[in-house]
Amino acid sequence: MPKGDGLVTFLKEPSVDLAVQLLDGVAFRYGLQNMTVSPAKFELKGEGFKPKQSAGNKKRKKKVLESLEKQALTWDGFDDKLAPTQVTVIIKHMFTIDEILENPLYSEEIEKDVLAEAGRLGRVEKVKVYKGNPDGVVSIKFATGEAADKCVKLMEGRFFAGRRLAAFMWDGYTNYNMKLQETEEQQAARLEAFGRELEEGGKEQ
């Protein structure tokens, strides 16, 4: 016969003791038998897998969790403030490193294009192009979660410049910022191309 077990997770440990005091021995509904409420016990059977995490990644996760906990416990009279994880979309494969190196202004062009496209879905607060990331990452922070969800549905699997895009919500701790790696020859070519563009722009004016 099923025991009808259930699990409830609280944000703070003192809430567990309070729940036990108030609900243990109380009927869930009138006419039903009384509940038995106690703190959950978790036991690991066999040798568990322990994934290795870098110290930096652990610190970022801890910082994010502390921030989310603070938001959950804070009440300032408004309930429309959303966490970054609810409104930030990550899109991969928007560009290649070679495209960034060949055209110093390409990241700005991508930013403008993304802002124009995403702006149709809702108010955009920030667009960032991680031009040093080999996965061609762009992040979009919306004002609402609804617009962010629409963006994921619209951009996931979509083709851009012959590449299939991947779109998903930011997990809250992954850092996509990387330093742009280039050889001395690539740097010299990039600066030379940039100088030519500035000269051509000056002539047009």
Side-chain angles (χ1 to χ4, degrees):
M1 181 177 178
K3 297 193 310 180
D5 290 350
L7 177 67
V8 179
T9 303
F10 293 94
L11 183 63
K12 288 292 186 177
E13 187 174 351
S15 299
V16 176
D17 296 331
L18 183 60
V20 172
Q21 294 175 19
L22 295 177
L23 300 175
D24 187 32
V26 177
F28 182 68
R29 287 194 182 94
Y30 179 76
L32 298 179
Q33 64 181 10
N34 294 341
M35 297 185 295
T36 299
V37 181
S38 62
K41 294 181 180 180
F42 298 95
E43 297 179 354
L44 183 63
K45 296 182 179 180
E47 294 184 0
F49 173 70
K50 297 180 179 180
K52 293 183 178 180
Q53 293 183 344
S54 63
N57 202 29
K58 286 183 179 179
K59 290 181 179 179
R60 283 197 297 272
K61 283 187 177 181
K62 182 179 180 182
K63 187 175 181 180
V64 170
L65 290 174
E66 289 176 349
S67 176
L68 293 176
E69 179 178 316
K70 183 178 179 180
Q71 291 178 14
L73 293 174
T74 300
W75 172 255
D76 55 6
F78 299 91
D79 59 359
D80 58 348
K81 289 186 178 181
L82 299 175
T85 52
Q86 296 176 285
V87 293
T88 305
V89 177
I90 300 296
I91 303 178
K92 288 186 175 182
H93 314 310
M94 287 291 296
F95 58 88
T96 65
I97 295 296
D98 288 339
E99 290 172 336
I100 296 295
L101 294 176
E102 290 172 3
N103 183 359
L105 301 178
Y106 191 58
S107 61
E108 296 181 11
E109 295 175 7
I110 294 177
E111 184 176 336
K112 291 179 181 178
D113 290 343
V114 171
L115 184 60
E117 185 73 12
R120 301 175 183 176
L121 305 174
R123 185 164 64 87
V124 177
E125 294 188 348
K126 184 178 181 180
V127 173
K128 184 171 183 179
V129 178
Y130 295 89
K131 55 185 179 182
N133 193 301
D135 288 330
V137 177
V138 175
S139 68
I140 311 171
K141 184 179 181 182
F142 289 91
T144 65
E146 181 181 0
D149 291 337
K150 289 181 180 179
C151 180
V152 171
K153 293 177 182 178
L154 176 66
M155 304 303 289
E156 170 60 29
R158 184 175 179 177
F159 282 88
F160 178 78
R163 294 181 294 271
R164 189 182 181 90
L165 303 180
F168 49 90
M169 301 300 293
W170 182 45
D171 57 19
Y173 57 86
T174 300
N175 184 4
Y176 295 99
N177 195 28
M178 296 183 182
K179 186 177 181 181
L180 185 63
Q181 302 291 335
E182 59 181 337
T183 63
E184 293 183 1
E185 292 78 7
Q186 288 173 325
Q187 184 182 44
R190 175 172 60 82
L191 294 176
E192 183 179 352
F194 184 53
R196 286 199 302 268
E197 289 188 10
L198 291 178
E199 291 178 0
E200 293 175 358
K203 290 178 182 179
E204 291 178 358
Q205 293 178 1

